[in-house]
Amino acid sequence: MEEKKSFLIEKIDIKSPNKNIVPITSSIGSDGKLSIGGCSIEELVNKYDSPLYILDEATLRNSCRAYKKALEKHYPGESLPIYASKANSSIFMSNLISSEGFGLDAVSEGELLTALKGGVPNEKIVFHGNNKSDKEIEFAVNNNIKVIVDNDYDLERLEGISNSLSIDLEIMIRFTPGIECHTHEYIRTGSFDSKFGFGIEYLDTLFARVSNTKHLKLKGLHAHIGSQIFELDPHRDLGEIMVNIIIDAKKFGHNIKELNVGGGLGIKYTENDDPPSIEEWVKTVSASVLKACKRNNLELPTLMCEPGRSIVSTAGITIYKIGAFKEIPGIKTYLSVDGGMSDNPRPITYQSNYSACLVNNPFNINPKNKYTIAGKHCESGDVLFKEIELADCKTGDLICVFGTGAYNISMSSNYNRIPRPAALLVCDGEAEIIQRRESPLDLLKYDVLPDRFIKQN
Ligand code: LLP
């Protein structure tokens, strides 16, 4: 029988981590077990328990550097990569991306505060959102953070604040370019029916409106067309469309100096995925902006992009411990793990696929069993893998799920009052906690029993 090759045998592309399933420091120790960042996964679980989120620092930094280097190589003007912190927001992540020279995009006061606490300079933070609260807008303005105007409501409030304080405010505006791309409909944002940003047909009216304000200065233009995208054409088209809009805005007296193309580059979750490299993506965007600027004799704007998933997803893994087995003869065998939809809601939300291996048999030698990997939540749909082939395994063995750095911890919940796992950073054989494990008691912190109920009991 031909032995099935493990994805762990594939050559690792250290320059563009999004092209690998596994973190770039993945290796198999002399004991035949999985190690990441020089740390034995089994030892980490013995010390920190499971489930466990782990981030590999080398993979994170290589992803950041790939964006920085590619922008320097392919775009002769100024540029600033901005990390989309919704992918994985923490004081640690803010600090790391800032140390790599990145800016940060936030969509709530919580994300803004996290960025500031992590040391991201205010001038490198942008504030997004289709329904910002008054408090959030004030927080951004008071902290000199640039607001990306998403709609008229944002504009009215910023105009009001700038007039009442008699200060000039630099703004960016977000528009929907009407570009379709092939990704899950929930994570597609650039089409005309999107809830985000101004319709392209409304932009002239908007430019005229902004010109009539006393203190709002239109500094930049933003668009984001979607997430987990493998095609390059949508971003090539976007660069060109945005340059044309900058030219159009000149008729209204606006000199737009910043062009932010959003994020969206996909990553390799499974062997069926083949995303472009970070360099190819940056090169495509840069070339299209450059070409359009040259043709129109336009001074090069500062080029910004907002990657989230392609910075952090491949750096992250989640480790689970196997618990119960349930065999339904002739139908399927369930293998249940100690986490599930509360630490990774993507499979149940988007039917997302991942890759996984056994920590003590990473090459998956003799994968003769088909399992459905179920989470521990009270929900039939709480299934992490509908079908996966694994070698023999038993209760207590560890499973490593790859590609969980983005939109896992940031979208996690406490469904069924299950505490969130701890998150570790690994580097050169050392592991450090970057988020402490919650305890069931932590989950009671915000519960309140009104006095009259206490008296009754
Ligand atoms: N910029 C803006 C304005 C965005 O809305 C997003 C993602 C990004 C940048 C970063 O996109 P990325 O490079 O990560 O593709 N929860 C979904 C993904 C939602 C993406 C939302 N916006 C998922 O788990 O797939």
Side-chain angles (χ1 to χ4, degrees), residues 77-91:
E78 299 272 306
S79 60
L80 178 66
I82 294 176
Y83 168 61
S85 71
K86 71 208 77 184
N88 188 328
S89 168
S90 67
I91 291 181

Side-chain angles (χ1 to χ4, degrees), residues 414 417 436-449:
N414 290 124
R417 290 242 145 164
R436 277 196 290 272
R437 184 177 297 281
E438 286 176 346
S439 77
L441 266 181
D442 289 331
L443 308 186
L444 303 186
K445 239 179 12 202
Y446 298 102
D447 280 21
V448 177
L449 192 61

Side-chain angles (χ1 to χ4, degrees), residues 133-311:
S133 70
D134 291 351
K135 191 164 165 267
E136 286 172 326
I137 290 201
E138 279 159 27
F139 184 86
V141 172
N142 289 338
N143 284 285
N144 290 322
I145 289 165
K146 203 183 301 154
V147 177
I148 305 206
V149 174
D150 201 271
N151 48 50
D152 284 323
Y153 184 39
D154 280 354
L155 198 67
E156 278 161 29
R157 289 177 294 170
L158 286 167
E159 188 180 1
I161 295 178
S162 64
N163 287 342
S164 68
L165 299 175
S166 271
I167 50 161
D168 284 352
L169 285 182
E170 287 184 342
I171 56 167
M172 294 187 87
I173 58 168
R174 175 171 183 172
F175 77 106
T176 28
I179 293 177
E180 298 289 343
C181 50
H182 295 105
T183 190
H184 194 286
E185 65 171 312
Y186 292 177
I187 56 178
R188 209 185 289 154
T189 50
S191 52
F192 286 127
D193 61 357
S194 166
K195 73 169 178 172
F196 299 105
F198 291 94
I200 202 164
E201 70 293 345
Y202 183 70
L203 290 181
D204 279 1
T205 313
L206 178 68
F207 291 149
R209 252 208 82 188
V210 178
S211 304
N212 286 331
T213 66
K214 199 162 169 209
H215 292 292
L216 297 186
K217 307 292 162 210
L218 182 49
K219 181 89 189 286
L221 190 63
H222 174 278
H224 170 76
I225 57 180
S227 202
Q228 183 59 0
I229 301 171
F230 290 169
E231 309 144 286
L232 289 169
D233 285 351
H235 281 96
R236 183 178 293 126
D237 295 348
L238 181 64
E240 166 116 29
I241 293 173
M242 292 184 82
V243 168
N244 288 336
I245 294 176
I246 293 184
I247 290 160
D248 185 48
K250 284 193 181 294
K251 291 188 229 139
F252 299 86
H254 300 298
N255 189 9
I256 296 181
K257 294 206 179 294
E258 293 177 347
L259 187 160
N260 182 334
V261 295
L265 173 61
I267 69 142
K268 186 176 174 90
Y269 283 107
T270 71
E271 278 159 305
N272 299 329
D273 297 333
D274 187 17
S277 69
I278 292 174
E279 179 169 0
E280 282 173 290
W281 188 87
V282 169
K283 189 176 168 193
T284 303
V285 173
S286 303
S288 102
V289 173
L290 269 177
K291 203 169 135 200
C293 287
K294 221 172 179 180
R295 199 174 46 239
N296 293 287
N297 224 351
L298 183 76
E299 201 185 315
L300 290 184
T302 299
L303 179 60
M304 296 167 160
C305 57
E306 283 173 348
R309 192 188 313 266
S310 52
I311 293 293

